Amino acid sequence: MKKEDVAKQIIQHVGGESNINNAWHCMTRLRFNLKDKEKVNYKELEKIPGVVGTKFQSDQLQIVIGTNVADYYEVLAKELGIENESDSNNNQQSEKKGLVSLFMDTVSGVFGPIVPAIAGAGMIKGLMAGLVALNVISNETPTFQVIDMLASGVFTFLPFFVAASAARIFKTNQYLAIAIAATLQFPTMTAAAAAGEISSFMLFGILPVPVFNYAGTVIPIIFAVLALSYIYRWVDKVLPEILRTVFTPTISLFVGGLIALTVIGPIGIHAGNLLAAGVSWLFTISPILAGVVVGLIRPIAILTGLHHAMTPIALQNFANQGYDMLMPMMFMANMAITGATVALYKKVQTKEEKSIILSAAFSGLLGITEPALFGVLTKYKKAFLAATIGSAVSSAFISFFGVRIYGYILSSIFSLPAYIGQYFIYAVLGIIIAIGVSFAITSFLVPKQIVEESSNEVQLSAVTDGLYVPLEDVNDDVFSTKMIGDGYAMKSTSGDIYSPVSGTVKTIFPTKHAIGLVTENGLEILVHMGIDTVSLNGEAFDIFVKVGESVTPKTKIAHISLEKIKQAQKDDTIIVVVTNMDKVQKLSGENNLEGEHLAGSTLGNATLS
């Protein structure tokens, strides 16, 4: 049965839309505040496909769905015409984050799905650049040109990839997002930018549309899609339903595209130009100061696509003075990014992550750092910080000794022969410093994770210091009757919550009272902190992990305030359940589980079928 049909039947059997004051959801249940609970038809509700069970508690009707409850709630909210609580809570959580953290998380989310394309293209591009630098192949041969098309296509048309992925993050229409990317890179725009004969098109004869080359840019399209998401929702909300199919996309594309062309895109380009002007000014004051600043901003500039603005400075330096000191700093930044990436190889858990890191690090050595930045370092902010520090230290070092280059070349390890001469030894030492500093800082800051080999056995560990509680004794029928899965519970003495398994964080509920985990072999675990604590709106909880992060039983994933939960008169029992029991052949516990246990101690094992 379709989710839309399920939602309609649920609304019908809770007494109809007129009987619903409000609806929301927690990690596993739809929750309703009703005008008249006598109108609820529990028997019919439990016949609906997808409904695991029902109960009425704390003046709320609770309909148990499972860990995919958010999918059903999204449809239900649309039927009822109410705001999607998950989106609202996510927005609130985003506002509480620092701007840098929020930006990094957004970029990481946008680029995660694109990593394979960037990594593959980066590897090919780097290899070809190395072969050219070693004079094995000429970049003017048809062979090089064909292979370069394979590699450069991803980077040239990166806004298309970013648009599709950003639309998923911002929950808007992917094809409209791609249409805006196509607008920015339409041949009319790119040809006008290449010709340089006009600075803008005049729309309606009065509105200037600045001419820029958006190839390879990132920030303009991310913010353009963000704007599109708001425009689309607003238009869809105000238009009558009969007009939405045709006019919602039409108006959204027209308005969103114009805003991208006239406001968002130009601001992104001007930000890059301002960055370039600032770098030029720094060199007039002190090359060493320029080295520190360029080293600090280079990684974030690559991440945002603003690094393209530095290339004209280098080219102008070659023309004016016959050499350039900026490109060697770019080289150092690439090596620092590579060093931080390599250091993470021993830190990650899965073979897939290790493979991505190796590929990204190799591409970084060859001068293509996008795979390392977008695919690896945005997930590990401390490693990104280490790369930035390594970049700054090494750039300052080579600037102090006046390291320069006399011709434009890709900042690759194969470019090292271009430095042969009086500055060669300092260039080599700079590379060692860049890689060494970033590697050492990453190794120190990023904790090592325990690798659990994929098998049909998953160890379940104590989630906190405290008293073991059989699941059957939990004061919540949904858990005690094992409606959504089997597992165990604990009464915490410290409030510190650790991962019960080695795996990855799959979901974090917006109110922070529940976290979903998944092991490498696909076992899904729900850590539910307290009973009916969704109503606390996150006040009693601190979360220390993010979605996509690898965890082990030594990873502290959260802390709960036992005092706040007590003051709210809620049950502070920590519940751990396996939610996809269809994958489990046997769930066994250790002997003598009664009594207190330390976090991380083994409580049982799940044998997968």
Side-chain angles (χ1 to χ4, degrees), residues 487-509:
Y488 68 90
M490 294 188 73
K491 285 285 189 178
S492 180
T493 56
S494 65
D496 291 332
I497 310 300
Y498 293 81
S499 172
V501 294
S502 293
T504 305
V505 179
K506 184 180 180 183
T507 54
I508 299 173
F509 197 73

Side-chain angles (χ1 to χ4, degrees), residues 283-345:
F283 271 100
T284 64
I285 298 176
S286 166
I288 298 175
L289 177 61
V292 173
V293 174
V294 171
L296 284 172
I297 65 176
R298 179 68 181 176
I300 194 70
I302 299 173
L303 195 66
T304 58
L306 298 179
H307 63 301
H308 295 294
M310 295 186 183
T311 301
I313 303 176
L315 295 175
Q316 192 62 44
N317 288 339
F318 289 130
N320 293 345
Q321 54 198 33
Y323 67 87
D324 172 63
M325 295 177 65
L326 182 60
M327 289 199 69
M329 298 178 192
M330 300 179 190
F331 187 15
M332 296 303 109
N334 287 357
M335 296 302 102
I337 290 168
T338 302
T341 304
V342 170
L344 288 170
Y345 181 81

Side-chain angles (χ1 to χ4, degrees), residues 21 29 32 135 184 197 210 215 237 301 312 331 364 369 376 411 439 452 494 501 505 576 603:
N21 284 324
R29 315 171 205 193
F32 295 86
N135 293 319
L184 295 176
E197 296 174 355
K237 184 177 181 180
F331 187 15
T369 53
V376 181
S411 298
F439 184 95
E452 182 181 273
S494 65
V501 294
V505 179
V576 177
L603 296 183

